[in-house]
Amino acid sequence: MITERELRKGLKTKMFGKKIYAFQTIDSTNNCAKAVANLGGPEGIVVIAEEQTAGRGRLGRQWLANPNENLTFSLVLRPNVPPEAINQLPLFVGVALAEAIEKTTAIHAECKWPNDILLNRKKVAGILVEGSMQQNLVEYVVVGIGINVNQTSFPQELASKATSLRLECRREIDRATLFRDILTALEALYQQCIKRGFSIMLPLWMQRSSMMNKPIAVSQQGTVITGIVKGLSKEGGLILHSNGIDRTLFAGDVTILGEVNERFVGSTTVAQPSASLPRA
Ligand code: BTN
């Protein structure tokens, strides 16, 4: 197990990771981080575990990761923003993850709407943002991050669409160093967003997306909407030109149409619309 001490060795952040709760096994780091936040835990607390018995992705899907090979952790944030802004948060997290993964692997990391990071068109990381509101303000946000780091095999149903840093760059990755790089990138971008607004991440995220002007299908709870991607709204929604009009979507599973490579059919889970934020 990576200890708190190893994780913090050389960490130069001011806030993020000042307190790290490290576990061998836990139900879900997001659950624990929420419990800590509910007790008044300050911004920047991290909960990390080698193994999650109930790790989850968006829409209540399972997040499966081999113990001791990956990174699964959650970060508590307390941004002073209205609930609508919650859909913007995955943007800065996605850009920070992409930057840190790229630094480690020297492979271009792509952001896939809503919350995935891809390497060579396969998913290496997912983000789960969960928040709590009080009097129409965000009380806290827990950012859950799962990264496939040194895992070299995946269940058959995921094998064509999931990968790991190790599989893509053909060497074992030092997880503690990667963790520190991620926290450093997250803190730097978060501070910029707090000063200038989270929508400043839109162009950085867009530069890392290959969906622009492509035909896609978005499936939302049984219905499928097809259209051409026009960009992201400042709230973090996907702007889709469909049947002659521009529609902004805040949730869905995206498939890029006409990709010969079926690997692009994502296992992506969907972003929580702000209206359904669970209350503490
Ligand atoms: C997704 O791709 O659907 C998001 C996956 C998020 C998984 C992480 S692992 C750490 C944290 N704890 C959880 O239970 N989930 C998130």
Side-chain angles (χ1 to χ4, degrees):
M1 174 181 149
I2 322 181
T3 60
E4 175 182 2
R5 205 168 149 190
E6 277 174 88
L7 291 166
R8 286 167 51 83
K9 205 163 101 192
L11 182 65
K12 293 196 174 67
T13 50
K14 287 201 179 83
M15 273 190 314
F16 288 10
K18 281 290 148 201
K19 178 72 201 156
I20 299 175
Y21 294 103
F23 295 91
Q24 175 59 38
T25 306
I26 201 169
D27 55 350
S28 154
T29 57
N30 265 34
N31 288 354
C32 181
K34 280 185 193 177
V36 170
N38 279 328
L39 289 170
E43 185 158 81
I45 284 183
V46 171
V47 178
I48 185 165
E50 289 287 8
E51 179 177 19
Q52 297 184 110
T53 53
R56 61 175 179 275
R58 276 158 286 121
L59 277 190
R61 291 172 183 164
Q62 264 186 309
W63 181 261
L64 297 171
N66 289 353
N68 309 310
E69 296 180 355
N70 298 298
L71 280 176
T72 47
F73 64 96
S74 305
L75 169 71
V76 175
L77 298 178
R78 294 188 180 276
N80 188 11
V81 293
E84 311 81 77
I86 201 126
N87 283 311
Q88 296 177 331
L89 294 190
L91 299 179
F92 99 86
V93 180
V95 172
L97 280 184
E99 285 179 356
I101 287 173
E102 208 164 88
K103 180 177 172 210
T104 303
T105 61
I107 300 171
H108 175 68
E110 194 179 318
C111 294
K112 184 183 176 209
W113 189 86
N115 287 21
D116 294 346
I117 305 299
L118 311 181
L119 275 186
N120 295 325
R121 297 186 171 181
K122 287 182 159 190
K123 178 165 173 171
V124 277
I127 303 158
L128 175 68
V129 173
E130 296 179 311
S132 169
M133 282 189 291
Q134 284 279 338
Q135 285 148 10
N136 213 30
L137 265 187
V138 173
E139 184 194 15
Y140 67 77
V141 169
V142 166
V143 175
I145 295 173
I147 308 167
N148 303 328
V149 184
N150 286 320
Q151 186 165 332
T152 51
S153 64
F154 291 89
Q156 204 186 347
E157 66 278 12
L158 292 180
S160 64
K161 46 198 178 193
T163 191
S164 69
L165 272 59
R166 180 175 180 164
L167 282 173
E168 295 307 312
C169 67
R170 295 161 196 255
R171 66 179 169 83
E172 189 166 351
I173 304 297
D174 185 293
R175 290 182 299 149
T177 306
L178 175 63
F179 172 82
R180 287 190 289 270
D181 286 345
I182 291 169
L183 279 197
T184 304
L186 279 170
E187 188 175 274
L189 294 184
Y190 184 69
Q191 281 173 343
Q192 288 182 37
C193 290
I194 291 300
K195 274 192 206 132
R196 297 166 53 208
F198 283 88
S199 52
I200 62 163
M201 285 299 126
L202 286 165
L204 293 180
W205 192 97
M206 291 295 296
Q207 275 165 24
R208 291 187 173 275
S209 166
S210 62
M211 285 165 51
M212 269 303 285
N213 295 317
K214 290 215 173 128
I216 63 163
V218 183
S219 85
Q220 289 184 321
Q221 293 166 333
T223 57
V224 176
I225 306 163
T226 54
I228 306 288
V229 178
K230 287 292 157 199
L232 289 186
S233 72
K234 67 178 179 12
E235 298 82 19
L238 184 74
I239 304 171
L240 194 65
H241 191 74
S242 174
N243 286 331
I245 55 163
D246 283 349
R247 308 174 61 167
T248 304
L249 308 179
F250 286 96
D253 278 344
V254 171
T255 302
I256 297 195
L257 301 172
E259 285 273 340
V260 180
N261 190 342
E262 277 297 301
R263 295 188 309 184
F264 229 120
V265 178
S267 62
T268 329
T269 44
V270 303
Q272 296 259 16
S274 52
S276 71
L277 284 177
R279 293 183 74 90

